[in-house]
């Protein structure tokens, strides 16, 4: 019975994410634009994840060259930041550093770990794509997170991307 209940919750989450993605794709989501302190949003997003970060032996390095106030939908940008942070945590090896930077109108998050091959970089923003990082963590999500992030960033007209670095993978978005 507990397995059925657990699977029901997972299915419910997936259906809700699919509906959200559909709304974003057709432009039916009502964005509530307001001035947001991006630095504060990152700090707020990190706070509830401290236990998971500590359990994995990870360290977060957050730096910014100034305080950035952006025009955006608060809830949707919170979703973007949360998704990037959770992905970085799940795809980091134990006892590594996750670097979060906001500099020159660009947010970036880099985790040390496996690089993405060209196939992964091509499909990573598509719905239901789950990259394999050599652990069971990649199976935990629905495969919709980065597709939703992509649609949110497109709606805000923010450029975004992913790239391999010398030590891992860096996700980023530029804002105005």
């Amino acid at each position: 019975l507990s397995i059925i209940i657990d699977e029901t919750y997972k299915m419910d989450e997936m259906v809700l994410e699919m509906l959200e993605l559909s709304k974003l794709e057709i432009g039916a989501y009502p964005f509530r634009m307001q001035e947001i302190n991006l630095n504060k949003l990152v700090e707020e997003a990190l706070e509830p994840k401290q236990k998971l970060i500590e359990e994995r032996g990870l360290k977060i390095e957050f730096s910014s060259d100034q305080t950035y106030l952006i025009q955006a939908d608060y809830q949707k940008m919170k979703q973007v930041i949360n998704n990037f942070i959770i992905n970085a945590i799940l795809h980091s090896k134990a006892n590594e550093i996750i670097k979060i930077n906001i500099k020159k109108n660009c947010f970036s998050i880099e985790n040390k770990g496996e690089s993405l091959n060209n196939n992964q970089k091509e499909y990573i923003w598509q719905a239901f794509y789950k990259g394999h990082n050599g652990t069971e963590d990649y199976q935990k999500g629905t495969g919709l997170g980065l597709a939703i992030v992509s649609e949110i960033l497109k709606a805000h007209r923010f450029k975004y991307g992913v790239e391999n670095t010398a030590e891992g993978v860096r996700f980023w978005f530029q804002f105005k």
Side-chain angles (χ1 to χ4, degrees):
L1 184 59
S2 66
I3 292 170
I4 292 170
I5 291 170
D6 187 46
E7 291 301 316
T8 302
Y9 285 129
K10 287 179 188 175
M11 188 64 82
D12 183 51
E13 177 186 359
M14 185 179 298
V15 169
L16 291 174
E17 286 183 354
M18 288 171 50
L19 289 170
E20 181 180 12
L21 181 59
S22 293
K23 283 182 183 179
L24 289 165
E25 287 176 336
I26 63 170
Y29 182 85
F31 284 91
R32 294 180 193 96
M33 304 304 272
Q34 60 183 307
E35 188 174 82
I36 298 170
N37 182 327
L38 186 58
N39 305 59
K40 187 175 177 182
L41 180 61
V42 170
E43 290 168 359
E44 290 170 358
L46 285 169
E47 193 173 318
K49 296 165 189 66
Q50 287 305 316
K51 184 177 180 190
L52 179 60
I53 291 166
E54 290 170 12
E55 285 173 357
R56 291 179 169 260
L58 299 170
K59 183 179 177 194
I60 303 290
E61 288 182 358
F62 175 43
S63 66
S64 181
D65 60 353
Q66 68 180 47
T67 299
Y68 284 96
L69 302 176
I70 63 171
Q71 287 294 317
D73 181 291
Y74 177 81
Q75 290 301 323
K76 291 297 154 197
M77 288 311 297
K78 183 176 179 182
Q79 191 173 356
V80 167
I81 300 298
N82 276 325
N83 186 279
F84 282 153
I85 292 171
I86 287 294
N87 282 349
I89 291 169
L90 295 179
H91 293 275
S92 289
K93 295 177 183 173
N95 303 313
E96 292 290 353
I97 297 170
I98 295 172
K99 296 178 184 176
I100 302 173
N101 294 298
I102 309 174
K103 293 182 178 152
K104 298 181 182 176
N105 292 358
C106 185
F107 167 92
S108 68
I109 183 165
E110 178 182 350
N111 63 290
K112 292 183 181 180
E114 255 184 71
S115 295
L116 299 173
N117 63 41
N118 289 336
N119 192 44
Q120 289 170 311
K121 283 197 264 184
E122 181 181 342
Y123 294 108
I124 202 162
W125 303 105
Q126 293 183 8
F128 301 111
Y129 180 79
K130 294 183 184 184
H132 179 46
N133 68 346
T135 70
E136 296 299 315
D137 290 328
Y138 77 98
Q139 295 179 353
K140 289 183 180 177
T142 61
L144 294 169
L146 288 174
I148 291 170
V149 163
S150 172
E151 292 300 322
I152 292 169
L153 294 173
K154 283 179 195 173
H156 282 83
R157 293 188 175 101
F158 294 168
K159 292 180 182 179
Y160 63 95
V162 61
E163 60 196 15
N164 291 324
T165 64
E167 299 178 320
V169 177
R170 179 180 172 259
F171 284 87
W172 58 271
F173 67 87
Q174 290 181 321
F175 48 89
K176 299 166 187 156

